[in-house]
Amino acid sequence: MKFNDNRTGRVDVEFIADSGFSSFINNTWFNNGITYQFKSFIMQGSPFQGFEFEAYMAIKAKKINKILDEAIPLRHPLKINEAMRYSLLAGGKRVRPILCIASCELVGGDESLAMPVACAIEMIHTASLIHDDLPCMDNDDLRRGKPTNHKVFGESTAVLAGDALLSLAFEYIACNANNVSPDHLVRVFAELSSAIGSKGLVAGQIMDIVSEGKVVSLKELEYIHVHKTAKLLEACVVCGVIIGGGDDNDIEKVRIYARCIGLLFQVVDDILDVTKSSMELGKTAGKDLVSNKATYPKVMGIDEAKNFAYHLMNKAVQQLACFDTAKAAPLYHLAYYIANRQN
């Protein structure tokens, strides 16, 4: 870590080592009257400029959507399959499955190898959204600009739809990842299971619930969102690298990358929650404020939260330096996209 502090009111900060985010973010740094200006990664002139990111995302998303549509046919019992399809095919940018595919391609793997796992990850993510929106959890009415699953199909069906999508995800990998070695598949199953269980998403979710209405430190807030959001994103890229034949060093680099963009996603989400309308977001705005949840703007202040977001994007991009530039371009642009998204 290095920084310059001449008490002029501005400090340029560059973080090198991965020593844990909360170890260098604390109230003293952000409340001593100095503005800490994080160095942002500049798009212009970078080796990633010129990559057709929007076209890349559109092509990948179209393929993913086609496979997801075919994965859940309308069959008996009709209601549960309708509910599963309703949320799975409700839109979304398919960031998580594309992360998996891009990470596989990063280390020389082919899209076709990663696609079954990528689609399964979207099923897992959708299951988590259905459950997260339930009255006993976040009690939300909107998701991706549409009524939430339980608002359309009822609470009991929504619970079952989430359960069914979760189990289908692992079945789908087992039945369709035919060209992936058994050893690699075992590692994929272990990574995904850990990311969504009591060591991952569930851990973050329960801590989020029990922290409502309480004063939460930055370290505690980091724990919540590393587990609730970043762990599944880590699984996306790690599974992609495993399938693509990457080594342990590759896995460590993309894991740090994903940890950064996972926290980045949440910081931006928290900022948008207090700066955008429900129509702009496609979901209910201001929910965190109403439920008195700990958020980055609440704990750090909105300006410092924005600075933290810039730092996280830069740190994520640093992890891509050792990879082939052309193959790393999608992951760079995904970090930039997450940092600048508006909904």
Side-chain angles (χ1 to χ4, degrees):
M1 178 193 305
K2 62 180 180 180
F3 58 93
N4 302 312
D5 183 355
N6 57 8
R7 297 296 178 186
T8 61
R10 172 172 174 158
V11 178
D12 290 323
V13 183
E14 181 179 354
F15 295 103
I16 308 299
D18 181 37
S19 56
F21 298 116
S22 58
S23 65
F24 55 73
I25 301 296
N26 55 64
N27 291 332
T28 302
W29 280 32
F30 283 112
N31 292 304
N32 62 1
I34 301 173
T35 300
Y36 289 85
Q37 182 68 43
F38 293 118
K39 296 177 180 177
S40 60
F41 192 89
I42 306 299
M43 172 77 80
Q44 290 83 2
S46 81
F48 303 100
Q49 191 177 15
F51 176 74
E52 297 293 335
F53 176 67
E54 290 185 6
Y56 177 89
M57 291 289 286
I59 291 168
K60 299 293 189 190
K62 184 177 181 180
K63 293 177 181 179
I64 291 163
N65 287 333
K66 182 176 185 296
I67 293 171
L68 292 176
D69 184 32
E70 294 169 351
I72 308 176
L74 284 172
R75 59 189 172 195
H76 181 76
L78 191 60
K79 186 173 184 180
I80 191 64
N81 288 288
E82 286 178 335
M84 292 164 69
R85 288 175 59 84
Y86 176 82
S87 293
L88 187 63
L89 304 176
K93 301 167 185 72
R94 307 308 188 198
V95 168
R96 287 159 187 81
I98 292 173
L99 275 171
C100 182
I101 293 168
S103 298
C104 180
E105 294 173 333
L106 178 71
V107 294
D110 188 75
E111 173 192 284
S112 61
L113 289 174
M115 188 62 79
V117 175
C119 290
I121 287 171
E122 188 66 14
M123 295 175 193
I124 291 169
H125 175 55
T126 301
S128 74
L129 298 181
I130 293 173
H131 286 172
D132 194 46
D133 291 335
L134 288 168
C136 63
M137 301 290 278
D138 278 0
N139 191 25
D140 220 328
D141 296 339
L142 286 174
R143 173 67 68 177
R144 292 171 173 167
K146 299 175 65 175
T148 46
N149 197 289
H150 68 274
K151 285 292 181 180
V152 177
F153 296 95
E155 198 170 333
S156 58
T157 299
V159 171
L160 292 173
D163 292 343
L165 282 168
L166 187 60
S167 60
L168 176 61
F170 290 93
E171 176 190 349
Y172 192 82
I173 295 172
C175 294
N176 292 279
N178 301 317
N179 295 321
V180 180
S181 74
D183 287 347
H184 285 170
L185 282 181
V186 169
R187 293 184 68 185
V188 165
F189 283 133
E191 186 71 30
L192 281 176
S193 299
S194 176
I196 64 177
S198 59
K199 297 177 182 178
L201 191 153
V202 170
Q205 187 70 50
I206 191 65
M207 290 307 299
D208 192 27
I209 292 170
V210 301
S211 298
E212 285 186 18
K214 297 180 181 179
V215 177
V216 175
S217 69
L218 278 170
K219 185 176 181 180
E220 291 166 329
L221 187 61
E222 178 190 309
Y223 178 93
I224 290 170
H225 294 306
V226 162
H227 291 77
K228 185 179 177 182
T229 303
K231 284 287 187 180
L232 184 56
L233 289 171
E234 285 182 43
C236 295
V237 297
V238 169
C239 289
V241 169
I242 290 170
I243 293 166
D247 60 25
D248 288 343
N249 184 61
D250 296 333
I251 288 173
E252 182 61 22
K253 288 291 185 182
V254 299
R255 192 182 291 280
I256 295 171
Y257 164 87
R259 181 73 59 91
C260 289
I261 66 167
L263 283 178
L264 173 63
F265 189 95
Q266 190 59 53
V267 174
V268 173
D269 207 54
D270 288 353
I271 293 169
L272 293 176
D273 188 65
V274 296
T275 60
K276 297 290 184 178
S277 68
S278 297
M279 182 175 295
E280 289 172 312
L281 293 177
K283 61 181 180 179
T284 308
K287 286 282 292 182
D288 293 336
L289 184 64
V290 172
S291 59
N292 200 23
K293 279 192 174 184
T295 67
Y296 282 98
K298 182 179 178 181
V299 175
M300 302 170 72
I302 194 156
D303 289 337
E304 286 78 6
K306 289 178 179 179
N307 279 341
F308 189 36
Y310 278 116
H311 160 65
L312 289 168
M313 187 189 77
N314 296 340
K315 186 174 176 63
V317 171
Q318 288 174 11
Q319 309 311 309
L320 305 177
C322 63
F323 295 103
D324 176 83
T325 300
K327 292 177 180 177
L331 293 178
Y332 163 72
H333 280 271
L334 278 162
Y336 187 85
Y337 163 76
I338 289 170
N340 292 279
R341 68 191 180 91
Q342 298 299 309
N343 56 36

